[in-house]
Amino acid sequence: RKEVEQDPGPFNVPEGATVAFNCTYSNSASQSFFWYRQDCRKEPKLLMSVYSSGNEDGRFTAQLNRASQYISLLIRDSKLSDSATYLCVVTSDSGGYNKLIFGAGTRLAVHP
Amino acid sequence: GAVVSQHPSWVICKSGTSVKIECRSLDFQATTMFWYRQFPKQSLMLMATSNEGSKATYEQGVEKDKFLINHASLTLSTLTVTSAHPEDSSFYICSARDEPTHRYTEAFFGQGTRLTVV
């Protein structure tokens, strides 16, 4: 079983739509959680951290359910520029380092 | 924000040759850098953790003699793919964090290197 699992998509949505991505992780000892965005052939960039209480940044809302080992990302009022791959990331403490473990990503395509 | 620069952004090499990829932290000192590999439509897979002044720590299944890592200074780590073969063709990305032991420290990524071995 993969450490971080995501629905690969693609999610094809019209502008203005609301879309939700889900992610599950297998290591119950994981301590921190993130959503990264990756554009085609580019490096990943941090979208937002995910805290236990849930957090919101403009049109983006992230939720964490530790009991279910489940993370979500909600995007409201989708823009064309939101088209990208969204990577669910959890951290693993190993050998004194806090390593990032990436999901395979969910592709989002927003169309006019 | 912090910047990580990676070079080259793409390289084509012949089978059997070696390729060196550089990763620099431009405005912070990185005692630890991470090297990832990403195949098309797959996730970033951690290859190794590069430690300044000491040996790198490799993930299971990654050949340390094939992927040589040198972290000679606090701002530079290099990955050398030795005796490259077509199956080594991939997107290689480095990453660094200001405080790698702090859980919510943002990771900054280099621009990535697309390696094609012919």
Side-chain angles (χ1 to χ4, degrees), chain B residues 12-95:
Chain B
I12 301 173
C13 71
K14 290 184 178 180
S15 239
T17 60
S18 296
V19 174
K20 181 187 283 189
I21 303 170
E22 292 187 347
C23 181
R24 294 180 186 275
S25 57
L26 297 185
D27 53 1
F28 67 99
Q29 293 183 333
T31 55
T32 304
M33 292 186 178
F34 302 90
W35 286 96
Y36 295 84
R37 179 168 53 182
Q38 185 178 33
F39 291 107
K41 297 187 179 181
Q42 295 187 26
S43 61
L44 278 74
M45 297 300 297
L46 181 63
M47 299 175 66
T49 302
S50 171
N51 309 300
E52 188 268 334
S54 65
K55 291 183 180 179
T57 305
Y58 290 82
E59 295 299 303
Q60 192 173 13
V62 178
E63 299 175 58
K64 61 180 181 180
D65 294 330
K66 180 169 183 63
F67 299 100
L68 301 179
I69 291 173
N70 185 283
H71 195 148
S73 77
L74 288 171
T75 58
L76 174 64
S77 175
T78 61
L79 168 68
T80 301
V81 183
T82 63
S83 186
H85 291 285
E87 57 266 29
D88 297 325
S89 299
S90 187
F91 191 50
Y92 292 85
I93 311 179
C94 68
S95 167

Coordinates of all heavy atoms in Angstrom, one line a residue, chain B residues 12-95:
Chain B
I12 N 20.8 16.1 -22.1 CA 20.7 14.8 -22.9 C 22.1 14.2 -22.9 O 23.1 15.0 -23.2 CB 20.3 15.1 -24.3 CG1 18.9 15.8 -24.3 CG2 20.2 13.8 -25.1 CD1 18.4 16.2 -25.7
C13 N 22.3 13.0 -22.6 CA 23.6 12.4 -22.6 C 23.5 11.0 -23.2 O 22.5 10.4 -23.3 CB 24.1 12.3 -21.1 SG 23.3 11.1 -20.1
K14 N 24.7 10.5 -23.5 CA 24.8 9.2 -24.1 C 24.9 8.1 -23.0 O 25.4 8.4 -21.9 CB 26.0 9.1 -25.0 CG 26.0 9.9 -26.3 CD 27.2 9.6 -27.1 CE 27.1 10.4 -28.4 NZ 28.3 10.2 -29.3
S15 N 24.4 6.9 -23.3 CA 24.4 5.8 -22.4 C 25.9 5.6 -22.0 O 26.8 5.6 -22.8 CB 23.9 4.6 -23.1 OG 22.8 4.0 -22.5
G16 N 26.1 5.3 -20.7 CA 27.4 5.0 -20.2 C 28.2 6.2 -19.7 O 29.2 6.1 -19.0
T17 N 27.7 7.4 -20.0 CA 28.4 8.6 -19.5 C 27.8 9.0 -18.1 O 26.8 8.5 -17.7 CB 28.2 9.8 -20.5 OG1 26.8 10.1 -20.6 CG2 28.8 9.4 -21.8
S18 N 28.4 10.0 -17.5 CA 28.0 10.5 -16.2 C 27.5 11.9 -16.3 O 28.0 12.7 -17.1 CB 29.1 10.4 -15.1 OG 29.5 9.1 -14.9
V19 N 26.5 12.2 -15.5 CA 25.9 13.5 -15.5 C 25.9 14.1 -14.1 O 25.5 13.4 -13.1 CB 24.5 13.5 -16.0 CG1 23.8 14.8 -15.9 CG2 24.5 13.0 -17.5
K20 N 26.3 15.3 -13.9 CA 26.3 16.0 -12.6 C 25.2 17.1 -12.5 O 25.1 17.9 -13.4 CB 27.6 16.6 -12.3 CG 27.7 17.3 -10.9 CD 29.0 18.0 -10.6 CE 30.1 17.1 -10.3 NZ 31.3 17.9 -9.8
I21 N 24.4 17.0 -11.5 CA 23.4 18.0 -11.3 C 23.7 18.8 -10.0 O 24.0 18.2 -9.0 CB 22.0 17.3 -11.1 CG1 21.7 16.5 -12.4 CG2 20.9 18.4 -10.9 CD1 20.5 15.6 -12.2
E22 N 23.6 20.1 -10.1 CA 23.9 20.9 -8.9 C 22.7 21.5 -8.3 O 21.7 21.9 -9.0 CB 24.8 22.1 -9.3 CG 26.2 21.7 -9.7 CD 27.1 22.9 -10.0 OE1 26.6 24.0 -10.0 OE2 28.4 22.7 -10.1
C23 N 22.7 21.6 -7.0 CA 21.6 22.2 -6.3 C 22.1 23.2 -5.3 O 23.0 22.9 -4.4 CB 20.8 21.1 -5.5 SG 19.4 21.7 -4.6
R24 N 21.7 24.5 -5.4 CA 22.3 25.5 -4.5 C 21.1 26.2 -3.7 O 20.1 26.6 -4.3 CB 23.0 26.6 -5.3 CG 24.2 26.1 -6.0 CD 24.9 27.3 -6.8 NE 26.0 26.8 -7.6 CZ 27.2 26.6 -7.1 NH1 27.5 27.0 -5.8 NH2 28.2 26.1 -7.8
S25 N 21.4 26.5 -2.5 CA 20.5 27.3 -1.7 C 21.0 28.7 -1.8 O 22.2 28.9 -1.5 CB 20.4 26.8 -0.2 OG 21.6 26.8 0.4
L26 N 20.2 29.7 -2.2 CA 20.8 31.0 -2.6 C 20.8 32.0 -1.4 O 21.6 32.9 -1.4 CB 20.0 31.6 -3.8 CG 20.1 30.8 -5.1 CD1 19.4 31.5 -6.2 CD2 21.5 30.5 -5.4
D27 N 19.8 31.9 -0.5 CA 19.8 32.9 0.5 C 19.6 32.3 1.9 O 19.2 33.0 2.9 CB 18.7 33.9 0.3 CG 17.4 33.3 0.0 OD1 17.3 32.0 0.1 OD2 16.4 34.0 -0.2
F28 N 20.0 31.0 2.0 CA 20.0 30.4 3.4 C 21.0 29.2 3.3 O 21.3 28.7 2.3 CB 18.6 29.9 3.8 CG 18.0 28.8 3.0 CD1 18.1 27.5 3.5 CD2 17.4 29.0 1.8 CE1 17.5 26.4 2.7 CE2 16.9 28.0 1.0 CZ 16.9 26.7 1.5
Q29 N 21.4 28.8 4.5 CA 22.3 27.7 4.6 C 21.5 26.4 4.8 O 20.7 26.4 5.7 CB 23.3 27.9 5.7 CG 24.3 29.1 5.5 CD 25.3 29.3 6.6 OE1 25.1 28.9 7.7 NE2 26.4 29.8 6.2
A30 N 21.8 25.4 4.0 CA 21.1 24.2 4.1 C 22.0 23.1 4.5 O 22.8 22.6 3.6 CB 20.4 23.9 2.7
T31 N 22.0 22.7 5.7 CA 22.8 21.6 6.2 C 22.2 20.3 5.6 O 23.0 19.3 5.5 CB 22.8 21.5 7.7 OG1 21.5 21.4 8.2 CG2 23.5 22.7 8.3
T32 N 21.0 20.3 5.2 CA 20.4 19.1 4.6 C 19.6 19.4 3.4 O 18.9 20.4 3.3 CB 19.4 18.5 5.7 OG1 20.0 18.2 6.9 CG2 18.8 17.2 5.1
M33 N 19.8 18.7 2.3 CA 19.1 18.8 1.1 C 18.5 17.4 0.7 O 19.1 16.4 1.1 CB 19.9 19.3 0.0 CG 20.4 20.8 0.2 SD 21.2 21.4 -1.3 CE 21.5 23.1 -0.8
F34 N 17.5 17.4 0.0 CA 16.8 16.1 -0.4 C 16.8 16.0 -1.9 O 16.5 17.0 -2.6 CB 15.4 16.1 0.2 CG 15.3 16.2 1.7 CD1 15.2 17.5 2.2 CD2 15.3 15.1 2.5 CE1 15.1 17.6 3.6 CE2 15.3 15.2 3.8 CZ 15.2 16.5 4.4
W35 N 17.1 14.8 -2.4 CA 17.0 14.6 -3.8 C 15.8 13.7 -4.2 O 15.7 12.6 -3.5 CB 18.3 14.0 -4.3 CG 19.4 15.0 -4.4 CD1 20.4 15.2 -3.4 CD2 19.7 15.9 -5.4 NE1 21.2 16.2 -3.8 CE2 20.9 16.6 -5.1 CE3 19.1 16.1 -6.7 CZ2 21.4 17.6 -5.9 CZ3 19.7 17.1 -7.5 CH2 20.8 17.8 -7.1
Y36 N 15.0 14.1 -5.1 CA 13.9 13.3 -5.6 C 14.0 13.0 -7.0 O 14.7 13.6 -7.8 CB 12.6 14.1 -5.4 CG 12.2 14.5 -4.0 CD1 12.8 15.6 -3.3 CD2 11.3 13.7 -3.3 CE1 12.4 15.9 -2.0 CE2 11.0 14.0 -2.0 CZ 11.5 15.1 -1.4 OH 11.2 15.4 -0.1
R37 N 13.2 12.0 -7.4 CA 13.1 11.6 -8.8 C 11.6 11.4 -9.1 O 10.9 10.9 -8.3 CB 13.9 10.3 -9.1 CG 13.8 9.8 -10.5 CD 14.8 8.7 -10.8 NE 14.6 7.6 -9.8 CZ 15.4 6.5 -9.8 NH1 16.4 6.4 -10.7 NH2 15.2 5.5 -8.9
Q38 N 11.3 11.9 -10.3 CA 9.8 11.8 -10.7 C 9.7 11.3 -12.1 O 10.2 11.9 -13.0 CB 9.2 13.2 -10.6 CG 7.7 13.1 -10.8 CD 7.0 14.5 -10.6 OE1 7.6 15.5 -10.9 NE2 5.7 14.5 -10.2
F39 N 9.1 10.1 -12.2 CA 8.8 9.6 -13.6 C 7.4 10.1 -14.0 O 6.6 10.6 -13.2 CB 8.8 8.1 -13.5 CG 10.1 7.5 -13.3 CD1 10.5 6.9 -12.1 CD2 11.1 7.5 -14.3 CE1 11.8 6.4 -11.9 CE2 12.4 7.0 -14.1 CZ 12.7 6.4 -12.9
P40 N 7.1 10.1 -15.3 CA 5.9 10.7 -15.8 C 4.7 10.2 -15.1 O 4.5 9.0 -14.9 CB 5.9 10.3 -17.3 CG 7.4 10.2 -17.7 CD 8.0 9.7 -16.4
K41 N 3.8 11.1 -14.7 CA 2.5 10.8 -14.1 C 2.7 10.0 -12.8 O 1.8 9.3 -12.3 CB 1.6 10.0 -15.0 CG 1.3 10.8 -16.3 CD 0.3 10.1 -17.1 CE -0.1 10.9 -18.3 NZ -1.1 10.3 -19.2
Q42 N 3.9 10.1 -12.2 CA 4.1 9.5 -10.9 C 4.5 10.5 -9.8 O 4.7 11.7 -10.2 CB 5.2 8.4 -11.0 CG 4.7 7.2 -11.9 CD 5.7 6.1 -11.8 OE1 6.5 5.9 -10.9 NE2 5.8 5.3 -12.9
S43 N 4.5 10.1 -8.6 CA 4.8 11.0 -7.5 C 6.3 11.2 -7.4 O 7.1 10.5 -8.0 CB 4.3 10.5 -6.2 OG 4.9 9.3 -5.9
L44 N 6.7 12.2 -6.7 CA 8.1 12.5 -6.4 C 8.6 11.4 -5.4 O 7.9 11.2 -4.4 CB 8.4 13.8 -5.7 CG 8.5 15.0 -6.7 CD1 7.1 15.4 -7.2 CD2 9.1 16.2 -5.9
M45 N 9.6 10.7 -5.8 CA 10.1 9.6 -4.9 C 11.5 10.1 -4.3 O 12.4 10.5 -5.0 CB 10.4 8.3 -5.7 CG 9.1 7.8 -6.2 SD 7.9 7.3 -5.0 CE 8.8 6.1 -4.1
L46 N 11.5 10.1 -3.0 CA 12.8 10.5 -2.3 C 13.9 9.5 -2.6 O 13.7 8.3 -2.4 CB 12.5 10.6 -0.8 CG 13.7 11.1 0.0 CD1 14.2 12.5 -0.3 CD2 13.4 11.0 1.5
M47 N 15.0 10.0 -3.1 CA 16.1 9.1 -3.4 C 17.1 9.1 -2.2 O 17.6 8.0 -1.8 CB 16.9 9.6 -4.6 CG 16.1 9.6 -5.9 SD 17.0 10.4 -7.2 CE 18.3 9.1 -7.5
A48 N 17.4 10.3 -1.7 CA 18.5 10.4 -0.7 C 18.4 11.7 0.0 O 17.9 12.7 -0.5 CB 19.8 10.2 -1.3
T49 N 18.9 11.7 1.2 CA 19.1 12.9 2.0 C 20.6 13.3 2.1 O 21.4 12.4 2.4 CB 18.6 12.7 3.4 OG1 17.2 12.2 3.4 CG2 18.7 13.9 4.3
S50 N 20.9 14.5 1.6 CA 22.2 14.9 1.5 C 22.6 15.7 2.7 O 21.9 16.7 3.1 CB 22.3 15.8 0.2 OG 23.6 16.4 0.2
N51 N 23.7 15.4 3.4 CA 24.1 16.0 4.6 C 25.5 16.7 4.4 O 26.4 16.1 4.0 CB 24.2 15.0 5.7 CG 23.0 14.1 5.9 OD1 21.9 14.6 6.1 ND2 23.1 12.8 5.6
E52 N 25.5 18.0 4.8 CA 26.7 18.7 4.7 C 27.9 18.1 5.5 O 27.7 17.9 6.7 CB 26.5 20.2 5.0 CG 27.7 21.1 4.7 CD 28.6 21.2 5.9 OE1 28.2 21.1 7.1 OE2 29.8 21.5 5.7
G53 N 29.0 17.8 4.9 CA 30.1 17.3 5.6 C 30.1 15.8 6.0 O 31.0 15.4 6.7
S54 N 29.0 15.1 5.6 CA 29.0 13.7 5.9 C 28.3 12.9 4.7 O 27.9 13.5 3.8 CB 28.3 13.5 7.2 OG 26.9 13.8 7.1
K55 N 28.3 11.6 4.9 CA 27.7 10.8 3.8 C 26.2 11.0 3.7 O 25.5 11.2 4.7 CB 28.0 9.3 4.1 CG 29.5 9.0 4.0 CD 29.7 7.5 4.2 CE 31.1 7.1 4.1 NZ 31.4 5.7 4.4
A56 N 25.8 10.8 2.5 CA 24.3 10.9 2.3 C 23.6 9.7 2.8 O 24.2 8.6 2.9 CB 24.0 11.1 0.8
T57 N 22.3 9.8 3.1 CA 21.5 8.7 3.5 C 20.6 8.4 2.4 O 19.8 9.2 1.9 CB 20.7 9.1 4.7 OG1 21.5 9.6 5.8 CG2 19.9 7.9 5.2
Y58 N 20.7 7.1 1.9 CA 20.0 6.7 0.7 C 18.7 5.9 1.1 O 18.7 5.2 2.1 CB 20.8 5.8 -0.2 CG 21.9 6.6 -0.9 CD1 23.1 6.9 -0.3 CD2 21.7 7.0 -2.2 CE1 24.1 7.6 -0.9 CE2 22.7 7.7 -2.8 CZ 23.9 8.0 -2.2 OH 24.9 8.7 -2.8
E59 N 17.6 6.1 0.3 CA 16.4 5.4 0.5 C 16.6 3.9 0.0 O 17.5 3.7 -0.8 CB 15.2 6.0 -0.2 CG 14.9 7.4 0.4 CD 14.5 7.4 1.8 OE1 13.6 6.7 2.2 OE2 15.2 8.1 2.6
Q60 N 15.8 3.1 0.5 CA 15.8 1.7 0.2 C 15.6 1.5 -1.3 O 14.7 2.1 -1.9 CB 14.8 0.9 0.9 CG 14.9 -0.6 0.8 CD 13.9 -1.3 1.7 OE1 13.0 -0.7 2.2 NE2 14.1 -2.6 1.9
G61 N 16.5 0.8 -2.0 CA 16.4 0.5 -3.4 C 17.1 1.5 -4.3 O 17.2 1.3 -5.5
V62 N 17.7 2.5 -3.7 CA 18.5 3.5 -4.5 C 20.0 3.1 -4.4 O 20.5 3.0 -3.2 CB 18.3 4.9 -4.0 CG1 19.2 5.9 -4.7 CG2 16.8 5.3 -4.1
E63 N 20.6 2.9 -5.5 CA 22.0 2.5 -5.5 C 23.0 3.7 -5.2 O 23.1 4.6 -6.0 CB 22.4 1.9 -6.9 CG 21.6 0.7 -7.3 CD 21.9 0.3 -8.7 OE1 23.1 0.0 -9.0 OE2 21.0 0.3 -9.5
K64 N 23.7 3.6 -4.1 CA 24.5 4.7 -3.7 C 25.7 4.9 -4.6 O 26.3 6.0 -4.8 CB 25.0 4.6 -2.3 CG 25.8 3.4 -2.0 CD 26.1 3.3 -0.5 CE 27.0 2.1 -0.2 NZ 27.3 2.0 1.3
D65 N 26.2 3.8 -5.2 CA 27.3 3.8 -6.1 C 26.9 4.4 -7.5 O 27.8 4.8 -8.3 CB 28.0 2.5 -6.3 CG 28.6 2.0 -5.0 OD1 29.0 2.8 -4.2 OD2 28.6 0.8 -4.8
K66 N 25.7 4.4 -7.8 CA 25.2 4.9 -9.1 C 24.8 6.4 -9.0 O 25.1 7.1 -9.9 CB 24.0 4.1 -9.6 CG 23.5 4.6 -10.9 CD 22.5 3.6 -11.5 CE 22.1 4.1 -12.9 NZ 23.2 4.2 -13.8
F67 N 24.2 6.7 -7.9 CA 23.8 8.1 -7.6 C 24.7 8.7 -6.5 O 24.4 8.6 -5.3 CB 22.3 8.1 -7.2 CG 21.4 7.6 -8.3 CD1 20.9 6.3 -8.2 CD2 21.1 8.4 -9.4 CE1 20.1 5.8 -9.2 CE2 20.2 7.9 -10.4 CZ 19.7 6.6 -10.3
L68 N 25.8 9.3 -7.0 CA 26.7 9.9 -6.0 C 26.3 11.3 -5.6 O 26.0 12.1 -6.4 CB 28.1 9.9 -6.7 CG 28.7 8.6 -7.2 CD1 30.1 8.8 -7.8 CD2 28.8 7.6 -6.1
I69 N 26.3 11.4 -4.3 CA 25.9 12.7 -3.7 C 27.0 13.3 -2.9 O 27.6 12.6 -2.1 CB 24.6 12.5 -2.8 CG1 23.4 12.2 -3.7 CG2 24.4 13.8 -2.0 CD1 22.2 11.9 -2.9
N70 N 27.3 14.6 -3.2 CA 28.3 15.3 -2.5 C 27.7 16.6 -1.9 O 27.1 17.4 -2.7 CB 29.5 15.6 -3.4 CG 30.7 16.3 -2.7 OD1 30.6 17.5 -2.4 ND2 31.7 15.5 -2.4
H71 N 27.9 16.9 -0.7 CA 27.4 18.1 0.0 C 28.5 18.8 0.6 O 28.7 18.7 1.9 CB 26.3 17.7 1.0 CG 25.4 18.8 1.4 ND1 24.1 18.6 1.7 CD2 25.6 20.1 1.6 CE1 23.5 19.7 2.1 NE2 24.4 20.7 2.0
A72 N 29.4 19.4 -0.2 CA 30.6 19.9 0.3 C 30.5 21.2 1.1 O 31.4 21.6 1.8 CB 31.6 20.1 -0.9
S73 N 29.4 22.0 0.8 CA 29.3 23.2 1.5 C 27.9 23.4 2.0 O 27.0 22.6 1.7 CB 29.7 24.4 0.6 OG 28.6 24.7 -0.3
L74 N 27.6 24.4 2.8 CA 26.3 24.7 3.3 C 25.3 25.2 2.3 O 24.1 25.3 2.6 CB 26.4 25.7 4.5 CG 27.0 25.1 5.8 CD1 27.2 26.2 6.8 CD2 26.1 24.0 6.4
T75 N 25.8 25.5 1.1 CA 24.9 26.0 0.0 C 24.9 25.1 -1.2 O 24.2 25.5 -2.2 CB 25.2 27.4 -0.3 OG1 26.6 27.4 -0.8 CG2 25.1 28.3 0.9
L76 N 25.6 24.1 -1.3 CA 25.7 23.3 -2.5 C 25.7 21.8 -2.3 O 26.5 21.3 -1.5 CB 27.0 23.7 -3.3 CG 27.3 22.8 -4.5 CD1 26.3 23.1 -5.6 CD2 28.7 23.2 -5.0
S77 N 24.8 21.1 -3.0 CA 24.8 19.7 -3.0 C 24.8 19.3 -4.5 O 24.1 19.9 -5.3 CB 23.5 19.1 -2.3 OG 23.5 17.7 -2.5
T78 N 25.5 18.2 -4.8 CA 25.5 17.7 -6.2 C 25.1 16.2 -6.2 O 25.4 15.5 -5.3 CB 26.9 17.9 -6.8 OG1 27.9 17.1 -6.1 CG2 27.4 19.3 -6.9
L79 N 24.4 15.9 -7.3 CA 24.0 14.5 -7.6 C 24.7 14.1 -8.9 O 24.5 14.8 -9.9 CB 22.5 14.4 -7.7 CG 21.9 13.1 -8.2 CD1 22.2 11.9 -7.3 CD2 20.4 13.2 -8.5
T80 N 25.4 13.1 -8.9 CA 26.0 12.6 -10.1 C 25.4 11.2 -10.5 O 25.5 10.3 -9.7 CB 27.6 12.5 -10.0 OG1 28.1 13.7 -9.7 CG2 28.2 12.0 -11.3
V81 N 24.8 11.2 -11.6 CA 24.3 9.9 -12.1 C 25.4 9.3 -12.9 O 25.8 9.8 -14.0 CB 23.1 10.1 -13.0 CG1 22.5 8.8 -13.5 CG2 22.0 10.9 -12.3
T82 N 26.0 8.2 -12.4 CA 27.1 7.5 -13.1 C 26.7 6.4 -14.0 O 25.6 5.8 -13.8 CB 28.1 6.9 -12.0 OG1 27.4 5.9 -11.3 CG2 28.6 8.0 -11.1
S83 N 27.4 6.3 -15.1 CA 27.1 5.3 -16.1 C 25.6 5.3 -16.4 O 24.9 4.2 -16.2 CB 27.6 3.9 -15.6 OG 27.5 2.9 -16.6
A84 N 25.1 6.4 -16.9 CA 23.7 6.5 -17.1 C 23.2 5.6 -18.2 O 23.9 5.3 -19.2 CB 23.4 8.0 -17.5
H85 N 22.0 5.1 -17.9 CA 21.3 4.3 -18.9 C 19.9 4.9 -19.2 O 19.4 5.7 -18.4 CB 21.1 2.8 -18.3 CG 22.4 2.1 -18.2 ND1 23.1 1.6 -19.4 CD2 23.2 1.8 -17.2 CE1 24.2 1.0 -19.0 NE2 24.3 1.2 -17.7
P86 N 19.3 4.5 -20.3 CA 18.0 5.0 -20.7 C 17.0 5.0 -19.6 O 16.2 5.9 -19.4 CB 17.6 4.2 -21.9 CG 18.9 3.8 -22.6 CD 19.8 3.6 -21.4
E87 N 17.0 3.9 -18.7 CA 16.0 3.8 -17.7 C 16.2 4.9 -16.5 O 15.4 5.0 -15.7 CB 16.0 2.4 -17.0 CG 17.3 1.9 -16.5 CD 18.1 1.1 -17.5 OE1 17.9 1.4 -18.7 OE2 18.9 0.3 -17.1
D88 N 17.4 5.5 -16.6 CA 17.6 6.6 -15.6 C 17.0 7.9 -16.1 O 17.0 8.9 -15.3 CB 19.2 6.8 -15.4 CG 19.8 5.6 -14.9 OD1 19.2 4.9 -14.0 OD2 21.0 5.3 -15.3
S89 N 16.5 8.0 -17.3 CA 15.8 9.2 -17.8 C 14.7 9.5 -16.9 O 13.8 8.7 -16.7 CB 15.3 8.9 -19.2 OG 16.4 8.7 -20.1
S90 N 14.7 10.7 -16.4 CA 13.7 11.1 -15.4 C 13.8 12.6 -15.1 O 14.7 13.3 -15.6 CB 13.8 10.3 -14.1 OG 12.8 10.5 -13.2
F91 N 12.9 13.1 -14.2 CA 13.0 14.4 -13.7 C 13.6 14.4 -12.3 O 13.0 13.7 -11.4 CB 11.5 15.0 -13.7 CG 11.4 16.5 -13.5 CD1 12.2 17.4 -14.2 CD2 10.5 17.0 -12.5 CE1 12.1 18.7 -14.0 CE2 10.4 18.3 -12.3 CZ 11.2 19.2 -13.1
Y92 N 14.7 15.0 -12.1 CA 15.4 15.0 -10.8 C 15.2 16.4 -10.2 O 15.5 17.4 -10.8 CB 16.9 14.6 -11.0 CG 17.1 13.2 -11.5 CD1 17.1 12.9 -12.8 CD2 17.3 12.2 -10.6 CE1 17.2 11.6 -13.3 CE2 17.5 10.9 -11.0 CZ 17.5 10.6 -12.3 OH 17.7 9.3 -12.8
I93 N 14.8 16.4 -8.9 CA 14.5 17.6 -8.2 C 15.2 17.6 -6.9 O 15.1 16.6 -6.2 CB 13.0 17.9 -8.0 CG1 12.2 17.7 -9.3 CG2 12.8 19.3 -7.5 CD1 10.7 17.9 -9.1
C94 N 15.8 18.7 -6.5 CA 16.3 18.8 -5.2 C 15.4 19.7 -4.3 O 14.7 20.5 -4.8 CB 17.8 19.4 -5.2 SG 17.9 21.1 -5.7
S95 N 15.6 19.6 -3.0 CA 14.8 20.4 -2.1 C 15.6 20.7 -0.9 O 16.5 19.9 -0.5 CB 13.5 19.6 -1.7 OG 12.9 20.1 -0.6

